[in-house]
């Protein structure tokens, strides 16, 4: 029987020839890819995609948010894209984003695990974990950060103290041009460092400056085309040199830094007196010792701490750099902000959350900087967890990216002037209403008026 099968295969092989087999295999791969890419009924529209790579090469990763605007104009506020074989929908515009994040949040609660994130974070930590692990880590982080001052006065005092150091460092430049990038990063990072590591780092600390540069580099590298290619073809890219390999090396160095800080903490650890986030986490590990299902272990301590360090540093410092740039580009707005600061705080008083109430113009400028700066243009992706209907379309399990509605016609595009434009119809008065709450001020039931 075996001999008969063998001679049959040999006969086939002589008839088919290797070239035919190869052609058949390629045709099969194309067909399988076509089947995989078939769009379900009533799926959001999107640009036609190529086999294997999808819409990958239609996106400019250096200017991701601008490439998306092209598609928004053509397909509307909800459209589909294929990143290689990762099916994705992009959602933009305030009403749809609100629908997803507020009304249907349970259907979009998970994070998709991309190959890069899988390799670096292995579903650990705060940002890239899911399910029970995410719930436990998030609950613990929120409570602990609150205990160490987030939302309390003590955090405000830490910020005020750090502001003092930053102003001093800027003063040392004697009015000469300088690059504020890493001074700002250092100052912002010190706030979260003082809560997580229990210490701040001097702006002249070379080791810490190196870490800040690593953090900055990972943020930049992760959005590069090479790293996105890794997400699409991880098996091939694994063997190729390139910026993605540098990304992995940088993450390793950052992990090692956090692991070293944790080891140092263990030496001086007193369970009765938690000095910071790491101490509190070590206590939590002790509490769950022996439980096979607990997510409180050393790995998650490293990743959660790293998440706070990363998210607490890059986001706020990039926003502040945008603020500086906009102040330089819009001197007339800078003047008004300065006038309000002088009027409310004067030259000696520190800024505080209590003063925010009396500084509506500066508050509006900060919100505009956040909107226009658009520092996370595609958000941190979420995933559709169950079949969902959104905007009249059917969304099966898929990646979801939110595009910042920076070009939403309802919001306009020019700094602060659009706030004034919106509020002018209200007899030249300034109406306090957060852009995110109500972009057109229509719902502002309690207008607080300030004349400008
Ligand atoms: C301008 C400042 C900031 C911006 C623009 C920003 C933006 C974001 C965005 C867009 C997300 C994803 C939200 C989602 O999918 O629901 C996120 C999540 C997160 N951010 Fe921030 N962030 C900022 C500051 C911070 C700071 C200071 C910290 C640290 C204390 C932080 C820690 C986190 C964490 C831990 C998550 C993950 C939360 C979760 O998945 O449950 N962020 N941030």
């Amino acid at each position: 029987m075996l001999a008969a099968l063998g001679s049959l295969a040999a006969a086939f092989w002589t008839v088919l020839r290797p070239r035919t087999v190869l052609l058949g295999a390629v045709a099969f791969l194309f067909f399988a890819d076509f089947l995989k890419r078939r769009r379900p009924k009533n799926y959001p529209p999107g640009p036609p995609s190529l086999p294997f790579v999808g819409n990958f090469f239609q996106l400019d990763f250096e200017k991701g948010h601008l490439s998306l605007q092209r598609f928004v104009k053509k397909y509307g506020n909800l459209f589909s894209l294929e990143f290689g074989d990762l099916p994705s929908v992009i959602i933009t515009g305030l009403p749809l984003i609100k629908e997803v994040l507020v009304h249907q949040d349970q259907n979009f609660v998970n994070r998709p695990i991309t190959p890069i994130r899988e390799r670096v974070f292995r579903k650990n930590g705060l940002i890239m974990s899911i399910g029970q692990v995410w719930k436990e880590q998030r609950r613990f982080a929120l409570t602990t950060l609150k205990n160490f001052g987030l939302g309390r006065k003590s955090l405000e005092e830490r910020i005020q103290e750090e502001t003092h150091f930053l102003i001093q460092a800027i003063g040392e430049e004697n009015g000469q041009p300088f690059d504020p990038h890493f001074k700002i990063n250092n100052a912002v990072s010190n706030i979260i460092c003082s809560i997580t590591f229990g210490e701040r780092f001097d702006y002249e600390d070379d080791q810490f400056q190196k870490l800040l540069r690593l953090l900055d580099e990972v943020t930049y590298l992760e959005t590069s085309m090479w790293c996105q290619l890794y997400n699409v073809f991880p098996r091939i890219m694994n063997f190729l040199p390139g910026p993605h390999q540098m990304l992995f090396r940088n993450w390793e160095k950052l992990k090692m830094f956090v692991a070293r800080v944790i080891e140092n903490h263990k030496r001086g650890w007193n369970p009765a007196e938690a000095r910071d986030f790491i101490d509190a986490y070590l206590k939590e590990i002790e509490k769950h010792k022996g439980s096979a299902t607990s997510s409180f272990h050393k790995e998650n301590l490293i990743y959660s701490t790293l998440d706070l360090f990363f998210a607490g540093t890059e986001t706020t410092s990039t926003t502040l750099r945008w603020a500086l740039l906009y102040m330089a580009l819009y001197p007339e707005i800078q003047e008004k902000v300065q006038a309000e600061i002088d009027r409310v705080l004067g030259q000696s008083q520190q800024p505080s959350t209590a003063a925010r109430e009396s500084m509506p113009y500066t508050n509006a400028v900060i919100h505009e900087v956040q909107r226009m700066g658009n520092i996370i243009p595609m958000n941190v992706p979420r995933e559709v967890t169950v079949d969902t209907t959104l905007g009249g379309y059917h969304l099966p399990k898929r990646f979801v990216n939110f595009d910042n509605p920076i070009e939403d016609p309802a919001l306009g595009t020019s700094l602060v002037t659009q706030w004034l434009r919106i509020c002018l119809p209200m007899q030249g008065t300034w109406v306090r209403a957060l852009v995110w709450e109500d972009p057109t001020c229509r719902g502002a039931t309690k207008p607080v008026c300030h004349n400008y």
Side-chain angles (χ1 to χ4, degrees):
M1 175 72 174
L2 273 179
L5 277 178
S7 52
L8 194 65
F12 259 123
W13 184 246
T14 40
V15 174
L16 287 175
R17 297 178 191 274
R19 195 183 292 174
T20 323
V21 174
L22 197 67
L23 271 177
V26 171
F28 174 76
L29 285 177
F30 270 89
F31 185 62
D33 185 74
F34 167 78
L35 287 183
K36 206 167 152 195
R37 265 173 218 287
R38 265 186 321 169
R39 294 180 172 182
K41 224 172 138 200
N42 200 24
Y43 188 60
S49 63
L50 290 170
F52 307 112
V53 292
N55 303 107
F56 192 86
F57 293 105
Q58 286 158 273
L59 293 164
D60 175 354
F61 288 99
E62 292 278 306
K63 299 179 190 136
H65 58 301
L66 297 181
S67 339
L68 290 183
Q69 286 306 319
R70 221 168 9 105
F71 297 128
V72 174
K73 280 189 187 116
K74 187 151 183 200
Y75 299 104
N77 282 353
L78 177 55
F79 60 94
S80 55
L81 281 180
E82 313 275 325
F83 295 92
D85 67 350
L86 304 174
S88 174
V89 290
I90 313 286
I91 299 169
T92 187
L94 212 51
L96 279 182
I97 291 182
K98 260 189 168 175
E99 175 68 22
V100 168
L101 293 181
V102 181
H103 304 302
Q104 297 202 44
D105 59 324
Q106 283 313 308
N107 295 4
F108 296 86
V109 81
N110 276 358
R111 296 241 187 259
I113 308 295
T114 58
I116 284 193
R117 292 274 151 175
E118 172 76 51
R119 176 156 163 183
V120 177
F121 289 90
R122 297 186 208 102
K123 298 187 190 141
N124 283 310
L126 283 162
I127 303 180
M128 282 299 147
S129 54
I130 50 172
Q132 194 56 22
V133 176
W134 172 68
K135 278 188 191 150
E136 285 178 7
Q137 297 301 312
R138 187 188 162 99
R139 198 180 309 127
F140 174 79
L142 277 175
T143 318
T144 311
L145 289 180
K146 266 189 198 139
N147 289 344
F148 283 106
L150 200 71
R152 284 193 191 178
K153 209 171 165 216
S154 61
L155 181 74
E156 185 165 300
E157 279 163 0
R158 284 174 218 235
I159 297 172
Q160 288 174 337
E161 190 187 274
E162 197 56 51
T163 316
H164 176 73
F165 287 115
L166 182 62
I167 292 172
Q168 202 178 348
I170 293 174
E172 282 163 14
E173 299 290 339
N174 294 320
Q176 295 303 308
F178 71 100
D179 181 356
H181 188 153
F182 286 99
K183 281 194 170 62
I184 292 178
N185 277 32
N186 205 140
V188 168
S189 192
N190 273 345
I191 313 290
I192 198 72
C193 285
S194 67
I195 298 171
T196 47
F197 306 143
E199 59 177 322
R200 66 173 292 280
F201 296 88
D202 200 79
Y203 302 161
E204 309 301 324
D205 184 327
D206 285 344
Q207 281 300 327
F208 194 64
Q209 283 289 320
K210 272 190 200 142
L211 278 174
L212 291 177
R213 278 162 212 272
L214 284 182
L215 266 192
D216 206 60
E217 219 167 64
V218 293
T219 318
Y220 176 74
L221 287 173
E222 206 160 325
T223 52
S224 71
M225 196 179 87
W226 280 88
C227 289
Q228 297 309 316
L229 266 177
Y230 184 93
N231 277 338
V232 178
F233 306 112
R235 288 205 190 100
I236 302 172
M237 295 298 288
N238 236 341
F239 295 103
L240 298 182
H244 57 296
Q245 304 291 5
M246 195 198 283
L247 176 87
F248 297 134
R249 280 196 298 276
N250 283 5
W251 274 121
E252 278 312 308
K253 285 182 195 160
L254 287 164
K255 268 190 252 172
M256 270 160 55
F257 164 73
V258 174
R260 262 200 312 273
V261 178
I262 293 169
E263 285 311 310
N264 287 341
H265 267 67
K266 278 185 185 165
R267 269 178 237 130
W269 184 54
N270 172 6
E273 203 183 316
R275 294 160 294 183
D276 49 39
F277 179 82
I278 294 179
D279 271 2
Y281 202 108
L282 288 171
K283 194 171 169 187
E284 202 65 18
I285 294 180
E286 278 296 306
K287 212 165 94 186
H288 291 88
K289 224 175 187 174
S291 155
T293 52
S294 164
S295 67
F296 292 97
H297 45 70
K298 193 178 160 200
E299 283 278 283
N300 258 331
L301 168 55
I302 294 179
Y303 288 104
S304 288
T305 312
L306 196 55
D307 276 341
L308 289 174
F309 180 43
F310 173 68
T313 299
E314 279 301 313
T315 47
T316 311
S317 41
T318 310
T319 307
L320 284 175
R321 294 212 312 283
W322 275 110
L324 285 184
L325 180 65
Y326 280 131
M327 288 301 94
L329 289 175
Y330 295 86
E332 70 286 3
I333 288 168
Q334 186 189 146
E335 253 171 48
K336 284 184 181 168
V337 170
Q338 188 66 56
E340 191 173 66
I341 293 173
D342 290 344
R343 182 169 55 78
V344 179
L345 299 175
Q347 289 298 312
S348 53
Q349 216 178 312
Q350 285 265 31
S352 63
T353 30
R356 184 163 59 180
E357 286 291 302
S358 332
M359 305 177 78
Y361 190 83
T362 309
N363 198 13
V365 171
I366 293 170
H367 281 89
E368 266 306 271
V369 166
Q370 292 203 299
R371 186 175 74 86
M372 297 289 294
N374 196 9
I375 65 158
I376 315 179
M378 291 230 272
N379 201 296
V380 190
R382 299 265 191 120
E383 191 177 52
V384 188
T385 43
V386 288
D387 284 9
T388 298
T389 303
L390 183 74
Y393 291 109
H394 170 68
L395 303 188
K397 198 167 158 28
R398 223 127 277 235
F399 276 40
V400 176
N401 294 92
F402 303 98
D403 183 27
N404 188 340
I406 191 165
E407 297 212 356
D408 191 326
L411 299 180
T413 50
S414 64
L415 189 77
V416 176
T417 46
Q418 68 101 5
W419 274 75
L420 296 172
R421 178 179 61 73
I422 289 165
C423 298
L424 272 179
M426 323 228 7
Q427 287 92 38
T429 53
W430 184 267
V431 180
R432 281 173 47 225
L434 297 184
V435 161
W436 279 91
E437 282 307 309
D438 187 79
T440 57
C441 293
R442 276 197 296 271
T445 47
K446 273 200 288 179
V448 177
C449 305
H450 298 267
N451 287 311
Y452 283 93

